[in-house]
Amino acid sequence: MRVELAALVVEDYDRAIEFFVDALGFELVEDTPSSTNDGRPKRWVVVRPPGGETGILLARADGAQQDAVVGNQFAGRVGLFLRVDDFDAAFDRMVGAGVEFVTAPRAEPYGRVAVFLDVSGNRWDLLGPA
C-alpha cells in the first residue's frame, strides 16, 4: 500500500507546472485533457520529484470554495515536506529560480530545514541531512 498522489489546489495549471518543474526540479509526469464530473474541461496534471513515488496532482481551483483555499490549504502551517540529499545545492538552485524562502536555513535534530512558499503561497519545508 502507498499514497500515489496528493492534490494541491492551484490557480493556474501552467504557472504551477512552471514552478514545480523549473523552480523545484520536479518531473511533469502527466498533462492530459479531462473533464469535471459535470462535463466542463479541466486537465489531469501530475508532477513528481525525480525518483519519487508519490506525485502531486495540480488541481485548478473550480468555484469560490476552492478559490478560497488556494495558498492556504494547510491553514498557514507547513503542509508539504521536500527531502533532498544535498540541501545547499537545492537551496541555492531554488533561490536562483526565484523561490521565496520565509525562513533562513537552520539545523534541527532531524536535519537542515528552511521554509519556502510554493506558487500559490502554501508553506513547504526543504529538508536535508544534518
Side-chain angles (χ1 to χ4, degrees):
M1 184 181 322
R2 64 187 166 94
V3 174
E4 184 172 339
L5 293 172
L8 191 64
V9 181
V10 298
E11 291 176 323
D12 179 80
Y13 292 120
D14 294 323
R15 281 186 49 230
I17 291 168
E18 181 180 332
F19 176 82
F20 281 95
V21 173
D22 295 342
L24 297 190
F26 283 34
E27 298 170 339
L28 178 61
V29 176
E30 186 172 359
D31 185 356
T32 306
S34 187
S35 58
T36 63
N37 291 335
D38 60 0
R40 291 175 290 118
K42 69 174 187 176
R43 288 159 60 185
W44 183 262
V45 178
V46 177
V47 294
R48 182 175 51 224
E53 290 187 20
T54 302
I56 296 176
L57 174 68
L58 302 175
R60 187 185 63 209
D62 184 16
Q65 184 178 12
Q66 292 178 24
D67 286 339
V69 302
V70 171
N72 195 29
Q73 290 186 220
F74 308 104
R77 296 183 59 116
V78 170
L80 296 162
F81 304 82
L82 181 60
R83 173 73 64 179
V84 296
D85 294 329
D86 186 336
F87 182 90
D88 291 327
F91 180 82
D92 291 345
R93 182 180 46 74
M94 291 167 65
V95 167
V99 175
E100 181 181 354
F101 280 84
V102 296
T103 68
R106 66 183 190 278
E108 295 291 345
Y110 50 84
R112 298 203 45 217
V113 61
V115 178
F116 69 93
L117 303 178
D118 69 19
V119 65
S120 299
N122 296 297
R123 291 175 175 259
W124 290 62
D125 270 357
L126 176 65
L127 300 167

